[in-house]
Amino acid sequence: MEADAAGARLEERWRGILSVHARTMCELDRVLHPYGLGASDFEVLDILASGPSGEGGEGGQCRVQNLADRVHLSQSALSRLIGRLVKDGLVERSVCAEDRRGVWVRLTAKGRALHAEVLPLQRAALARTLDGDG
């Protein structure tokens, strides 16, 4: 009986996590949509804009493989997302000089400006949903 109760508590916690995630993603998509971005698009821009030198930050650059480890998308979904960001002029791709199999993604000036414009909206949406005010 105790194992059933423990399992039920775990299931309840899991469903709570899924609920918070779904609410947060919907709110992020809602506030970012007018800017032509979704939550995952913003996440890539945010990683590029805020990472340490060589992984974002200085030059806003990161290897695609390192992005994949952080944005929780499949490699093919991330490739499509990056393709859209390239098409929109927000990032650019280049081949890694040290490892021709590697690909770098770098923020453009347009991408950096859009990130700075929508960052307060994204942070406010996170505060509303994660602090329980949403």
Side-chain angles (χ1 to χ4, degrees):
M1 208 53 156
E2 195 171 308
D4 289 345
R9 284 192 303 273
L10 280 175
E11 190 66 28
E12 186 177 328
R13 284 177 54 206
W14 173 241
R15 290 205 172 118
I17 290 167
L18 291 176
S19 177
V20 169
H21 179 267
R23 271 194 324 271
T24 303
M25 293 300 281
C26 286
E27 180 64 6
L28 289 172
D29 283 338
R30 185 187 69 75
V31 300
L32 296 171
H33 180 76
Y35 298 87
L37 298 173
S40 295
D41 302 319
F42 179 84
E43 191 66 21
V44 169
L45 298 180
D46 199 43
I47 289 167
L48 292 173
S50 62
S53 181
E55 289 303 321
E58 181 99 28
Q61 175 172 288
C62 186
R63 285 182 68 144
V64 171
Q65 181 58 45
N66 294 350
L67 278 174
D69 293 342
R70 297 181 62 191
V71 295
H72 310 292
L73 293 174
S74 68
Q75 190 70 40
S76 61
L78 179 59
S79 292
R80 287 190 302 274
L81 185 152
I82 291 170
R84 285 193 313 273
L85 295 177
V86 168
K87 183 179 170 224
D88 293 343
L90 302 175
V91 302
E92 57 191 19
R93 281 185 279 223
S94 61
V95 175
C96 179
E98 303 82 35
D99 177 1
R100 305 283 300 163
R101 297 168 298 171
V103 176
W104 289 97
V105 178
R106 179 188 322 263
L107 268 179
T108 62
K110 181 180 177 182
R112 191 172 297 284
L114 181 59
H115 174 266
E117 182 178 355
V118 299
L119 179 64
L121 301 173
Q122 188 261 5
R123 297 300 196 255
L126 290 179
R128 281 191 302 277
T129 57
L130 298 178
D131 291 342
D133 297 336

